[in-house]
Amino acid sequence: MAEQDSMTFSKTAAAENLQAVKAVILDVDGVLTDGGIYYDPTGREIKRFHVADGLGIELLRQAGIRVVIMSGRVSEALTRRAAELRVTDCYQGVRDKKAQIEKLRQQWQLKAEELLYVGDDLNDLPAFEAVGVRVAVANADDMLRSQAHYVTKATGGNGAVREVCEWLLKARGEWENTLEAYLQSRREAGSES
């Protein structure tokens, strides 16, 4: 099948699940970041996040889609970024992402088909088993890409999350209304200053 927007389409069944998606779960290193780990002179970890991904996350929230950030590592930079984005479902130090996703799914009373996961490496394969829609970033491991329903054109840390958010909202027919509501809220916030 041909490309649909900026995502590479690979499995028809998953396309039907897009209407059912109620939560988007994002890996961090290699998805929200470029995968590099940087340290300042004091040994504190530094991460680089793409501003466009933050806007995409905000648009998902505007559309009523829950956003979850999940990392195997623990980072002050991630804690700060999640707070800036008002993502309250931020789980760090998660060694078994599949088990964590299943726990959240039960807590929220959701089906696997209502979850979309974005990953980049082999440690994301078990998480793929727990969700209905699997997305890999462009520079993801070959095995993960082969298991994904969709592969982004953008690489991790370079707008891949924004690409997923926009694509999902467009596929659901919610892009225009969500964007307009977001822009309206910005106009209103500006007039209150």
Side-chain angles (χ1 to χ4, degrees):
M1 192 167 223
E3 283 187 343
Q4 180 178 0
D5 271 339
S6 57
M7 304 294 288
T8 304
F9 185 78
S10 67
K11 295 183 177 69
T12 306
E16 296 171 6
N17 288 351
L18 297 177
Q19 296 300 322
V21 170
K22 293 185 176 157
V24 171
I25 305 165
L26 305 168
D27 179 37
V28 178
D29 296 313
V31 173
L32 281 168
T33 75
D34 63 8
I37 298 173
Y38 311 94
Y39 296 98
D40 73 10
T42 67
R44 196 173 69 196
E45 184 175 282
I46 301 168
K47 293 185 182 290
R48 177 192 160 278
F49 298 95
H50 199 292
V51 69
D53 290 340
L55 178 56
I57 289 169
E58 191 168 339
L59 291 169
L60 285 183
R61 279 199 339 272
Q62 182 87 34
I65 297 171
R66 185 184 296 252
V67 178
V68 178
I69 296 174
M70 189 175 296
S71 179
R73 298 177 48 82
V74 176
S75 164
E76 288 179 33
L78 177 57
T79 300
R80 180 176 177 179
R81 184 63 173 148
E84 288 173 352
L85 296 173
R86 294 175 302 168
V87 174
T88 56
D89 293 305
C90 180
Y91 303 92
Q92 299 188 60
V94 178
R95 292 289 169 225
D96 187 345
K97 292 181 181 180
K98 180 180 179 181
Q100 181 67 38
I101 291 168
E102 289 174 347
K103 179 180 173 184
L104 292 173
R105 187 175 58 77
Q106 289 174 357
Q107 179 182 329
W108 298 333
Q109 299 180 337
L110 296 177
K111 299 174 188 168
E113 296 78 30
E114 296 172 312
L115 304 174
L116 181 151
Y117 184 89
V118 185
D120 75 305
D121 213 343
L122 297 174
N123 61 327
D124 294 311
L125 285 169
F128 268 19
E129 296 172 10
V131 301
V133 182
R134 303 180 303 265
V135 179
V137 296
N139 58 326
D141 177 82
D142 289 341
M143 183 178 284
L144 191 78
R145 283 197 323 257
S146 75
Q147 297 296 313
H149 295 116
Y150 305 94
V151 177
T152 66
K153 286 188 176 183
T155 57
N158 292 301
V161 170
R162 164 64 181 278
E163 183 180 329
V164 171
C165 297
E166 186 171 335
W167 164 79
L168 175 62
L169 292 171
K170 284 181 176 179
R172 293 163 58 106
E174 298 173 8
W175 173 251
E176 290 81 12
N177 289 340
T178 301
L179 180 59
E180 181 53 40
Y182 165 76
L183 294 173
Q184 181 63 33
S185 71
R186 299 287 292 184
R187 287 189 289 268
E188 291 170 1
S191 66
E192 294 172 4
S193 301

